[in-house]
Amino acid sequence: NSAFNIQHSTFSIFRINMIYRSPRPPVDIPNTSVSDFVLARARARGDRPALIDSVTGRTITYGQLPELVTCVAAGLARLGLGKGDVCAILSPNTPEYPIAMLAIAKLGAIATTASPLYTKADLGRHLTDSRAKILITSAALASTWRDFAGEAGLDHVITFESAGVQS
């Protein structure tokens, strides 16, 4: 909330500090990683759907999810991704997207997301600015990422199709 006074072509900005206090008690944030928190009760949910591809109907169950995340995290670690490293994801919404996000978080790495609507120039700038070591993407978007893979300093490009992530 800001108020603006315009005088002689100069702007003066006055900030009004308002703190909103919820009537509800504070949220208890556990001292655990995002991936551990999300997957904590997954196995207990067993065969219930966790992720569903709305186009194909393909389903990944809660029971499958922890192992998929662990496998992807192990593969990323073998490629040298570790705590503080940046991994980019260029993908439409697919069931593999949250698996990749959780795997990156499990390693303590940083995920940066790139829109599949990016132009080649947009993606090139994004990858360079973020200093991503790895790009996880879809083969269908190759016309966008292929030209910049080497220029942006990427060590590896992984496509969901070649990674065997799909169930």
Side-chain angles (χ1 to χ4, degrees):
N1 294 333
S2 299
F4 292 88
N5 288 337
I6 301 175
Q7 298 174 346
H8 309 290
S9 300
T10 61
F11 290 94
S12 297
I13 300 174
F14 300 96
R15 271 205 161 144
I16 301 170
N17 292 323
M18 296 177 63
I19 298 173
Y20 174 79
R21 303 245 186 245
S22 174
R24 302 195 187 281
V27 176
D28 181 34
I29 300 174
N31 188 19
T32 185
S33 70
V34 170
S35 59
D36 288 344
F37 180 77
V38 170
L39 298 173
R41 295 185 187 100
R43 290 197 201 289
R45 291 185 172 102
D47 290 335
R48 291 176 56 196
L51 304 168
I52 302 170
D53 187 321
S54 64
V55 175
T56 66
R58 186 171 50 88
T59 301
I60 295 172
T61 68
Y62 281 103
Q64 295 169 312
L65 194 55
E67 182 180 348
L68 289 170
V69 170
T70 298
C71 287
V72 173
L76 292 172
R78 278 194 302 275
L79 293 175
L81 191 71
K83 186 172 185 171
D85 292 331
V86 178
C87 183
I89 301 176
L90 171 68
S91 174
N93 290 332
T94 67
E96 289 74 33
Y97 194 105
I99 293 169
M101 288 294 280
L102 290 169
I104 294 165
K106 187 175 189 75
L107 294 174
I110 300 162
T112 184
T113 58
S115 170
L117 300 177
Y118 273 1
T119 64
K120 290 179 185 181
D122 291 337
L123 181 62
R125 279 190 301 275
H126 185 109
L127 294 175
T128 301
D129 291 348
S130 68
R131 296 187 181 111
K133 289 179 69 170
I134 296 175
L135 172 63
I136 301 174
T137 187
S138 170
L141 298 170
S143 63
T144 304
W145 57 260
R146 186 166 291 147
D147 294 342
F148 288 99
E151 287 178 35
L154 292 170
D155 295 339
H156 303 279
V157 176
I158 302 166
T159 62
F160 288 127
E161 297 83 1
S162 67
V165 175
Q166 296 181 353
S167 62

